[in-house]
Amino acid sequence: MIKAALIVVDMLNDFIDEKGALYCGQSARDIIPFVRLRLEAHRRAGSLVVYLHDAHAEDDREFEKFPPHCVAGTWGSRIIDSLAPQPGERVLPKTRYSGFYGTDLEKILAEYGPAEVEVVGVCTSICVMDTVGGLANRDYPTIVPRAGVADFDAEAHNFALNRMERLYGATIQ
């Protein structure tokens, strides 16, 4: 059992870079320094670090709702260079909003047994919130720092923070 885990959600070129297919705006770029600091702190503490990243098929049904983005194996689906994973850190491709759907996240967390899980990344109202909901359903105490999450929709961002706190019991810092 370890003290903590950090889950980094979708800090990918297509969401964070201005040339990305589904650029989330300046607010997404603004969280990069904070996410880097949290990565450094968790690494120093020996925490489990898990990166989740969209990795869609070219014909993914999600593209009926959003423009094509983060196609597996493309530049857009890669984690931004400034937050690159270190050797031994887990990188889990995902094809749906929740980091638990079709991934080994549940198994990895069960193996390490963190006392708490911190979640940072984008988009607050979609993949972050759905992953935090999955953590709540598995009884993991969860922290979501405001400075570490962003969304392309400010209203949805605020709704998601409130929902994660009130419904999922996450600590919003």
Side-chain angles (χ1 to χ4, degrees):
M1 183 174 200
I2 59 172
K3 182 177 180 195
L6 176 68
I7 297 177
V8 180
V9 180
D10 289 340
M11 294 298 288
L12 311 175
N13 289 322
D14 264 354
F15 296 131
I16 306 299
D17 192 284
E18 292 175 351
K19 296 180 289 256
L22 202 54
Y23 177 51
C24 291
Q26 186 60 42
S27 66
R29 297 195 57 73
D30 290 345
I31 70 171
I32 295 170
F34 181 85
V35 172
R36 187 178 309 117
L37 289 173
R38 298 310 300 145
L39 275 165
E40 291 168 3
H42 279 275
R43 287 168 175 158
R44 280 193 307 272
S47 300
L48 169 67
V49 175
V50 177
Y51 288 81
L52 299 174
H53 75 95
D54 266 6
H56 297 291
E58 290 181 10
D59 61 349
D60 196 301
R61 292 193 60 185
E62 186 172 309
F63 301 156
E64 295 171 11
K65 299 174 191 151
F66 296 100
H69 61 281
C70 301
V71 173
T74 67
W75 169 86
S77 185
R78 287 200 312 249
I79 297 163
I80 61 172
D81 290 340
S82 61
L83 300 177
Q86 291 187 351
E89 293 176 341
R90 305 294 183 103
V91 179
L92 301 178
K94 63 182 182 63
T95 59
R96 294 292 179 260
Y97 307 141
S98 173
F100 288 94
Y101 184 87
T103 74
D104 287 335
L105 183 57
E106 184 167 15
K107 179 182 168 189
I108 292 166
L109 289 173
E111 176 185 335
Y112 284 86
E116 66 181 22
V117 180
E118 182 175 344
V119 180
V120 295
V122 296
C123 286
T124 314
S125 66
I126 306 171
C127 296
V128 170
M129 184 170 66
D130 280 14
T131 299
V132 170
L135 290 163
N137 288 334
R138 291 160 178 86
D139 298 319
Y140 286 102
T142 304
I143 298 167
V144 179
R146 289 178 190 275
V149 292
D151 200 295
F152 54 85
D153 181 331
E155 186 177 323
H157 170 79
N158 289 324
F159 170 83
L161 290 171
N162 287 329
R163 179 181 171 95
M164 288 185 287
E165 182 175 48
R166 292 180 184 154
L167 182 62
Y168 300 150
T171 300
I172 308 298
Q173 296 179 330

